[in-house]
């Protein structure tokens, strides 16, 4: 935030919310406001329930500063990360802390309205289990398909019959009556990883490898969406020498149909192995099943081939691997092998490659954090304070 003597109460709140300041003195230093003006605006934020005192900080030569923190409040937002056959659901307070979470068996094979109504019912039930029961002031949802960032429309999602072209946020808002936010699952996971790591890893690539494969990019500390919001969609990158498996896009050899969890399950079934799903494949690999292990390593290598171009081009600080496949050592080893073989040393000598620190809650945490950022925008806070002052 640029130094300015006109920073509003909402802008001061944002500095606290993003961790850039934790005291009145820090706010004055960052904004150029006088101590008395900062004190007046902080008092407004405390009076209207946005901030609270949080003890004393360390002295830098004078009196110990009084620390400021986001007030938890009596409400939450709900965030849902939809998978093909289940939804990961969390409730978050204003601080971005997860206060409850659950996994519900909801399938995307059902009608969109049925799925959204089931997610909303699950969110309400989760909130009802808390004491006291908090109000839900917004709901966010991440989806395993490309989302047009201009209008929130789903663009040709795989394995989601009946969802193509649907503006999910509008339907979610009609069913719940709440503010909404909708995003692609890989984007949401990238944001979740960024938040989990304290918003300090500003150049980050997140790969979601499960039944499908997707990628999210944090650039300069912000989610990079591209023009339509489909930046990072690596699932339809065609691989040289890949099996001629036909993809839903009509081409052959796309990454998703040769390296995703669904592709691995199909390949293992083709050898006569009766596996029900990806979990079964992962269990076989844990028991040192040679074919399952080889398929997982091969999928990792092919994913790494695609990622190598991204690493060379973008030069991130971190490549984080999430999704079910990231729990398989063979898959992770295959990604590493391809990256270190195909990338320039100057792109990899300081590159961290690791499994997601945010874990299974990355998507829900990320999409929920994005909704919170919107609900707590400076303009909204300033407007709410002004409205309350007029009453």
């Amino acid at each position: 935030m640029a130094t300015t003597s006109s920073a509003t109460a909402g802008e001061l709140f944002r500095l606290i919310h993003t961790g850039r300041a934790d005291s009145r003195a820090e706010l004055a230093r960052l904004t150029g406001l006088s101590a008395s003006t900062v004190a007046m605006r902080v008092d407004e934020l405390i009076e209207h329930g946005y901030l609270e005192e949080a003890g004393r900080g360390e002295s830098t030569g004078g009196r110990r500063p009084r620390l400021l923190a986001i007030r938890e409040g009596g409400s939450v937002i709900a965030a849902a990360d939809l998978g093909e056959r289940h939804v990961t659901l969390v409730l978050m307070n204003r601080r971005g802390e997860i206060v409850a979470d659950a996994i519900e068996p909801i399938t995307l094979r059902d009608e969109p309205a049925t799925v959204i109504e089931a997610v909303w019912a699950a969110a309400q039930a989760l909130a009802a289990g808390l004491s006291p029961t908090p109000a839900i002031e917004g709901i966010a949802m991440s989806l395993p398909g490309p989302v047009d960032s201009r209008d929130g429309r789903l663009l040709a999602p795989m394995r989601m019959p009946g969802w193509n072209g649907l503006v999910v946020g509008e339907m979610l808002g009609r069913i719940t009556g709440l503010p909404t936010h909708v995003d692609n699952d890989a984007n949401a996971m990238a944001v979740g990883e960024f938040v989990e790591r304290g918003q300090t890893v500003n150049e980050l690539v997140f790969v979601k490898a499960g039944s499908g494969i997707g990628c999210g990019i944090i650039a300069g500390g912000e989610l990079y969406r591209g023009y339509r919001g489909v930046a990072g969609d690596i699932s339809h990158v065609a691989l040289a020498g890949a099996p001629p498996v036909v993809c839903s896009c009509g081409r052959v050899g796309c990454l998703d149909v040769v390296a995703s969890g669904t592709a691995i399950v199909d390949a293992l079934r083709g050898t006569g192995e009766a596996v029900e799903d990806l979990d079964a494949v992962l269990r076989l690999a844990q028991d040192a099943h040679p074919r399952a292990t080889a398929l997982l390593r091969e999928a990792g290598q092919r994913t790494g081939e695609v990622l190598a171009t991204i690493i060379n081009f973008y030069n991130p600080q971190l490549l984080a691997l999430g999704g079910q496949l990231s729990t398989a050592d063979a898959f992770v080893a295959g990604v590493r092998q391809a990256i270190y073989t195909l990338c320039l040393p100057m792109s990899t000598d300081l590159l961290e490659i690791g499994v997601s620190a945010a874990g299974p809650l990355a998507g829900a945490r990320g999409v929920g954090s994005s909704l919170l950022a919107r609900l707590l925008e400076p303009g909204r806070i300033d407007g709410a304070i002004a409205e309350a002052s007029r009453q």
Side-chain angles (χ1 to χ4, degrees), residues 244-264:
V245 181
V246 179
C247 179
S248 64
C249 71
R251 299 186 299 168
V252 297
C254 290
L255 180 65
D256 193 270
V257 293
V258 299
S260 67
T262 300
I264 295 170

Side-chain angles (χ1 to χ4, degrees), residues 50-68:
Y50 291 103
L51 294 181
E52 64 184 11
E53 302 279 3
R56 293 280 185 175
E58 296 296 324
S59 172
T60 57
R63 290 185 299 174
R64 295 169 60 198
R66 287 181 293 170
L67 298 181
L68 300 169

Side-chain angles (χ1 to χ4, degrees), residues 81-100:
D81 178 26
L82 270 66
E84 192 172 350
R85 292 184 297 175
H86 71 276
V87 58
T88 301
L89 185 66
V90 304
L91 301 179
M92 301 171 65
N93 62 25
R94 278 185 179 175
R95 295 174 182 168
E97 299 165 338
I98 294 175
V99 296

Side-chain angles (χ1 to χ4, degrees), residues 84-130:
E84 192 172 350
R85 292 184 297 175
H86 71 276
V87 58
T88 301
L89 185 66
V90 304
L91 301 179
M92 301 171 65
N93 62 25
R94 278 185 179 175
R95 295 174 182 168
E97 299 165 338
I98 294 175
V99 296
D101 65 88
I103 297 178
E104 299 291 339
I106 296 173
T107 174
L108 291 177
R109 297 286 176 179
D110 289 336
E111 290 291 324
T114 301
V115 172
I116 291 173
E117 287 168 357
V119 169
W120 176 227
Q124 291 174 297
L126 192 59
L130 299 177

Side-chain angles (χ1 to χ4, degrees), residues 275-299:
V275 289
E276 181 180 353
D277 52 24
L278 182 54
D279 285 333
V281 176
L282 297 175
R283 287 193 296 269
L284 287 175
Q286 289 173 347
D287 288 336
H289 187 286
R291 186 57 182 153
T293 303
L295 285 170
L296 286 165
R297 179 178 284 274
E298 185 177 290

